[in-house]
Amino acid sequence: MGNVAFSLFFSFIDCLMAYKKPCHTDKAVSIINGSGCPSKWASLPVSFDVLDKLVEPIDHVRFAAVCKGWCLLSKEYNQTTGRWRKVLPMLMIPTKSSQEEDNSETNQCIVYSVYEGHIFNNIQLSVCDGQKYCGSSHGWLAVVDQGLDYLYVTLMDPFRKYVAPINLSGIDYYDLNPDQEDNYMTEDRYMNYLPKVILSADPYLKPKDYWVVLFYQTNLRLCFHKAGQTYWSCCKFKEITCISDAVFYKGQVYTVGTRGKIVLFDIKSKIKHPRVPKATRLTGSVFERSARKAYLVESTEGDLWHVRRTVKRKEGCDGTLTDSFQVYKVVFDKKDRSIVEQVEVKSIGDEALFVGDNHSMSFLASNFAGCQPNSIYYTCDLLHFQHPERRPFDMAVYNLENETITPFYSLTSWQKGNPRAAWICPQFNGLC
């Protein structure tokens, strides 16, 4: 592509950037429909090299809106590279409750873009009073509601308003805690110590083929729900001392404890009575000391990483704060898929990890302007911060190379008293 063409192209992009909005004029509509195309744009010899230089998904959309030829090129680029199949998570921040017309309270949330550094006030989510957020996965937000005999889970998509919420079957409190004769895990305690919920896939794209996993750190129970079922399957694996995180990996469910113990739950095989997946312990306790939190993350190259989060008391703060992270690659036997070892990884290269109440995620930082490579973005998901007297302010980005911690968002005094913030990843399907 010649210098003149490059100059024209980037002049056009600069013009689009100045307006920050795609054009919605009749002329633009006719262009996309193929009934018109400015000759000076259509004649430019654009290629994938040009699209590689667009650092934001919205720039890709603006490029495709120029003319039919560029739209076709954009589709081909997205299908070939898969670059825009994932967008970075955004920080969902609970705000003050608001009073509705019927005098019921709703919990409002705003969305903050870390790499762009500003709040999107036009993206808001309201959740009825009594419901609480308990995780996000594949762009969906999970909220729990306390019933008389059951805990109810609802899946909501805050970015696609036309998608109806999914009300899952209730979970009997006894199934969550059948071993406690004194009912240690009372209904109130279930709401104070929130579970974590992860999904295997986007229910909008695979409405009949997704799994939901819910688990508590406090009583070691895992609950499984498959699309179309009218019940939850709850099970307990006695050898686990703590469930810190779970992940869908290679079609199965893996859990990890704070001392590195990894357990596989087989959801591929036909599940018979009592309708719970078979559990297999793949490793014992690998570490002598427990991490404050542990996560399982699938890297962009398909490896499974075990991420350990350590904390320490710091002067001038209430409780403990994150001090460091360590990353370990889980090495599997190629024949039977048993775990051979966990090897510490000093650098994750161009990857950026996002951990917290969300299902743990990994992205290539170079695909997103402002995203730090070799870093871990984390929110406050430590159990003791669930109590009202604690404050959910432990959010920052940890750089593995220089071991530094840099805050990316400062909570206001009133935000610190609200439910904790969490990552949520908008679903962007590109132009395919």
Side-chain angles (χ1 to χ4, degrees):
M1 190 173 183
N3 292 333
V4 174
F6 262 123
S7 178
L8 281 172
F9 169 73
F10 285 111
S11 295
F12 168 73
I13 292 299
D14 289 340
C15 181
L16 287 176
M17 292 294 200
Y19 287 101
K20 297 294 182 183
K21 292 182 179 180
C23 180
H24 294 291
T25 63
D26 291 338
K27 183 178 180 180
V29 173
S30 67
I31 288 173
I32 297 176
N33 290 337
S35 59
C37 190
S39 58
K40 68 176 181 178
W41 301 120
S43 62
L44 290 176
V46 293
S47 65
F48 282 10
D49 292 338
V50 172
L51 291 170
D52 285 338
K53 297 180 183 296
L54 303 184
V55 296
E56 302 291 350
I58 189 60
D59 299 338
H60 177 91
V61 175
R62 290 169 181 151
F63 177 94
V66 174
C67 66
K68 184 177 181 179
W70 286 22
C71 183
L72 293 174
L73 180 66
S74 296
K75 288 183 178 181
E76 183 182 355
Y77 176 83
N78 198 42
Q79 291 170 345
T80 302
T81 66
R83 181 183 175 191
W84 297 122
R85 289 175 187 166
K86 295 174 72 175
V87 295
L88 282 183
M90 305 181 82
L91 189 66
M92 187 185 66
I93 306 168
T95 63
K96 290 182 179 179
S97 297
S98 63
Q99 202 79 12
E100 296 294 319
E101 293 181 0
D102 59 359
N103 291 326
S104 65
E105 286 193 347
T106 60
N107 300 314
Q108 301 288 332
C109 287
I110 57 175
V111 176
Y112 176 77
S113 172
V114 173
Y115 59 97
E116 292 186 37
H118 69 266
I119 291 173
F120 288 89
N121 291 310
N122 61 328
I123 303 176
Q124 294 189 344
L125 176 67
S126 297
V127 176
C128 295
D129 188 39
Q131 293 182 322
K132 293 187 178 181
Y133 308 106
C134 60
S136 69
S137 186
H138 294 280
W140 289 74
L141 184 67
V143 298
V144 291
D145 192 9
Q146 174 184 331
L148 183 61
D149 298 309
Y150 296 89
L151 189 75
Y152 294 97
V153 180
T154 301
L155 304 178
M156 308 173 68
D157 188 333
F159 296 100
R160 292 176 289 199
K161 300 295 184 182
Y162 54 88
V163 178
I166 301 175
N167 298 310
L168 303 178
S169 305
I171 309 174
D172 194 305
Y173 292 120
Y174 177 81
D175 290 334
L176 286 172
N177 193 48
D179 302 328
Q180 297 293 340
E181 295 181 0
D182 60 353
N183 198 23
Y184 173 72
M185 288 292 286
T186 63
E187 287 86 343
D188 288 338
R189 189 171 177 84
Y190 283 118
M191 297 304 288
N192 289 332
Y193 290 94
L194 296 177
K196 183 171 182 177
V197 175
I198 62 170
L199 308 176
S200 64
D202 181 351
Y204 178 73
L205 298 178
K206 295 185 176 182
K208 298 181 180 180
D209 187 24
Y210 69 91
W211 283 83
V212 184
V213 169
L214 176 148
F215 60 94
Y216 280 88
Q217 295 182 58
T218 48
N219 67 345
L220 314 181
R221 303 289 291 186
L222 276 88
C223 297
F224 298 83
H225 178 87
K226 188 176 182 180
Q229 289 181 344
T230 58
Y231 58 87
W232 288 79
S233 301
C234 297
C235 61
K236 180 175 182 178
F237 195 65
K238 294 182 179 179
E239 294 189 49
I240 305 177
T241 56
C242 176
I243 299 172
S244 185
D245 197 18
V247 67
F248 287 94
Y249 180 69
K250 306 295 185 185
Q252 303 283 36
V253 176
Y254 291 80
T255 66
V256 65
T258 54
R259 293 181 61 188
K261 186 178 293 185
I262 296 177
V263 176
L264 163 69
F265 289 84
D266 183 6
I267 60 174
K268 284 185 176 181
S269 300
K270 187 176 181 179
I271 300 174
K272 300 180 181 180
H273 185 78
R275 303 182 302 190
V276 295
K278 179 183 177 182
T280 304
R281 181 168 61 88
L282 300 181
T283 66
S285 296
V286 180
F287 303 94
E288 292 184 4
R289 293 186 177 183
S290 295
R292 192 62 185 87
K293 287 285 293 186
Y295 309 93
L296 291 176
V297 191
E298 182 176 359
S299 74
T300 60
E301 295 184 352
D303 294 323
L304 184 62
W305 286 343
H306 168 204
V307 180
R308 290 169 55 82
R309 179 175 179 176
T310 58
V311 299
K312 68 185 302 185
R313 291 194 173 274
K314 296 189 178 180
E315 201 173 318
C317 73
D318 179 22
T320 57
L321 292 176
T322 299
D323 180 62
S324 65
F325 283 87
Q326 298 81 41
V327 180
Y328 296 83
K329 179 181 176 180
V330 180
V331 181
F332 291 90
D333 184 280
K334 293 182 178 180
K335 293 182 179 179
D336 61 8
R337 297 298 295 170
S338 62
I339 293 179
V340 177
E341 59 180 337
Q342 297 186 45
V343 181
E344 185 170 9
V345 178
K346 294 294 186 181
S347 172
I348 58 175
D350 189 31
E351 309 244 0
L353 310 185
F354 289 77
V355 299
D357 285 320
N358 55 288
H359 86 266
S360 306
M361 298 173 284
S362 180
F363 298 82
L364 285 180
S366 58
N367 281 347
F368 307 94
C371 183
Q372 296 184 30
N374 200 24
S375 297
I376 300 172
Y377 290 78
Y378 62 91
T379 58
C380 180
D381 62 344
L382 304 181
L383 189 63
H384 62 261
F385 278 100
Q386 290 285 10
H387 297 286
E389 66 271 15
R390 301 291 187 176
R391 295 179 175 180
F393 59 87
D394 189 17
M395 303 187 302
V397 54
Y398 180 83
N399 186 282
L400 285 169
E401 181 178 1
N402 53 35
E403 301 180 348
T404 57
I405 294 177
T406 307
F408 51 73
Y409 183 83
S410 297
L411 293 173
T412 62
S413 58
W414 58 265
Q415 283 176 329
K416 288 182 179 180
N418 290 325
R420 59 200 188 190
W423 297 117
I424 186 165
C425 195
Q427 295 300 291
F428 179 77
N429 298 320
L431 299 174
C432 295

